[in-house]
Amino acid sequence: MVKITLPDGSKREFNEAPSGADIALSISEGFARSCVAMEIEGVLLDLSEKVADGAAVRLITTKDSEALEIMRHSAAHVMAQAITNLYKDAHLTIGPVVEGGFYYDIDMEPLGEEAFPAIEQEINRLVKAKLPFTRKEISKEEALERFKDEPYKLELIDGLEGTISLYEQGDFTDLCRGPHVPHTGLIKAVKLMRVSGAYWRADQNNAQLQRVYGTAFFDKKELKAHLHMIEEAKKRDHRKLGTQLDLFSFHDEAPGMPFFHARGMAMWNALLDYWREEHLKDEYVETKTPIMLNRALWERSGHWENYRENMYTSNVDGFDYAIKPMNCPGGMLLFRMKSPSYRELPYRAGEIGLVHRHELSGALSGLFRVRAFHQDDAHIFMTPEQIHDEILGVLKLDERIYGTFGLDFHLELSTRPEKSIGSDEQWEKATEGLRSALDAYGKGYVINEGDGAFYGPKIDIHIKDAIGRTWQCGTIQLDMSLPERFDLSYIGADNEKHRPVMIHRVAFGSIERFFGILVEHYAGRFPLWLAPVQVVLLPMNDDLLDYTRQVKKELEAEGLRVDVDARGESLKRKVRDAQLEQVPVIVTIGEKEREAGVFSVRTLDGKVTYGVSREAFLSVVNADIRSRKNESVPVFG
């Protein structure tokens, strides 16, 4: 008799070792149809695998997070099969799952997107055939014989040792560790996305391959929603809007280092004014540390050993220096000067620090991946007893900040990575401190094993934008190592020195990246308080220009960001251009408005309100800005 245990603690008995499919079927036929794989002792396996007596089994259904990746892995195999069916001279290399889908690198004739319909038709034929995915394990010698006509597979096999696994579906065979869905029929919705060039093993001396990207879902409605999101994301691309709205640019003279224009700086400063206001409420102080520091500091912090390849360095007066990739070590020096009493803790110090990190040129992507950026770092020094409350305080601050922009978020607890510093005891205490605070906060979270910083575990905060995309921005890292490395201390109630515990945390993260996220989140249509230009004044003729410029000065004296469109274009054209620039408030000034001292006000929803007095105008606009409303349309009447 073979006994297995399910996640809910229930047990099932079988006369002989069951497969995962047998276990699923023992629950119900409907449940079995939704299963794609299983997990035993943390390892994902095919449903066809036999399960040993006493095993704890978790069946993976289409509703589980792992299921989509498994199915997309299978879809990559089906796409490769379809392409090799249609292009007999094609030679396969590798086909991994990536964010949003999968790709396969193939040595074949140049492929254009016009070929996609025929390939998708062949994919659909293979899907309808419900071909089983069958795992086989063979020796290295057998594998070399089996793939003797596939040069890239032979190269891969040559680097493997021991038993080699492969998968078959129909007459197609591929090297693979698995697992896969039971049959091709579970791949309900497949779409080829694009094709690009790629070199074998990323070496330009090797053959150039065709990298064919695709995506797949269990449901056609999910695919349709995904494609809609992609189209919406194209419209919101911050690089395009950044140029259109005159916010920022990039130049060959400084690759990966953004230039912010006057309008971009107006939005930048509004963002940082808000940051400072919220941090002041929580009793943070603001500090500033140098951009370049001596190598000895980076060796002491551990960055030289663990992060050297990403740091820009220089030699000054015979000494090695590094431009800071992080603000932390400078913050340690500032705290060390204080040696405060326990009565002065927690000590919360924030810094808008400019950092530089070397990124490969191919990885650069607008404001999302740059080489020079600002981090809204903060370092909180505390007693061990204060850990719980301080982490809760940071979570509540982040909730307040993200809520202002209408951004929801979810949380992940990332644990110790393989490459780390500090003792086992320090890591255990730090991880438990984060876990207990998360439990008290009450918002659900997931465990992200092995993804912590090299100096401590962390809470990652993933925000969700207006079209449902998620971005990792905020992070809270509990560090018991750096205070020790820098010999930091505070004077306790016993009048003795004690080691503080420290939190590293960011809310925006990279401010440049958060800026880009906001551009796409709002599609350039920012709320009034954040808009680069809050009010544009449109004089109806040149005779009104002097009066309009005087109005501009008066509104600017009230703290508003105001432009005047002095071009000799028609009023209709000026209004249209202001709408394209997403200016929240458009004020038309004619002779009647000058004589009566009133405004004609147009907002982005197309509503026009005539005869608005200056007092009423300022009352509405200032109230909207003070409250930092997330809507982009103030109401004047």
Side-chain angles (χ1 to χ4, degrees), residues 237-239 250 256 360-370 513:
D237 189 320
H238 74 283
R239 293 164 294 189
F250 288 88
L360 297 176
S361 59
L364 300 176
S365 177
L367 294 178
F368 292 162
R369 184 64 70 87
V370 291
R513 183 168 178 266

Side-chain angles (χ1 to χ4, degrees), residues 70 73 101 119 166 241 321 383 441 487 508 551 625:
I70 293 169
H73 184 191
I119 297 171
L166 52 84
L241 290 173
Y321 283 78
T383 68
Y441 182 57
D487 194 24
F508 294 156
V551 172
I625 292 171

Side-chain angles (χ1 to χ4, degrees), residues 149-163:
D149 296 324
E150 295 295 330
Y152 300 99
K153 299 298 180 181
L154 290 176
E155 188 174 331
L156 291 170
I157 294 167
D158 191 54
L160 301 175
E161 296 297 334
T163 301

Side-chain angles (χ1 to χ4, degrees), residues 286-355:
E286 187 172 354
T287 59
K288 182 176 176 61
T289 60
I291 194 170
M292 189 165 70
L293 298 111
N294 189 284
R295 169 178 174 170
L297 178 82
W298 302 111
E299 288 177 335
R300 189 170 192 173
S301 69
H303 288 89
W304 195 267
E305 177 186 355
N306 291 281
Y307 208 74
R308 170 67 184 83
E309 66 274 13
N310 295 100
M311 297 167 68
Y312 294 106
T313 60
S314 182
N315 187 279
V316 181
D317 297 332
F319 294 95
D320 289 333
Y321 283 78
I323 297 176
K324 64 179 180 182
M326 300 172 186
N327 299 309
C328 321
M332 302 305 101
L333 297 183
L334 288 179
F335 182 82
R336 194 171 65 187
M337 292 182 65
K338 293 181 67 64
S339 192
S341 161
Y342 72 98
R343 297 177 187 275
E344 299 175 78
L345 301 182
Y347 176 74
R348 308 180 186 105
E351 177 177 7
I352 306 294
L354 175 60
V355 300

Side-chain angles (χ1 to χ4, degrees), residues 607-627:
K607 184 177 180 180
V608 181
T609 308
Y610 298 99
V612 179
S613 70
R614 197 168 302 185
E615 293 76 17
F617 177 85
L618 287 171
S619 176
V620 170
V621 169
N622 286 333
D624 195 291
I625 292 171
R626 279 194 304 272
S627 65

Side-chain angles (χ1 to χ4, degrees), residues 30 93 245 249 328 444 449 479 535:
T93 64
L245 301 177
S249 59
C328 321
E449 296 288 357
D479 190 344
V535 181

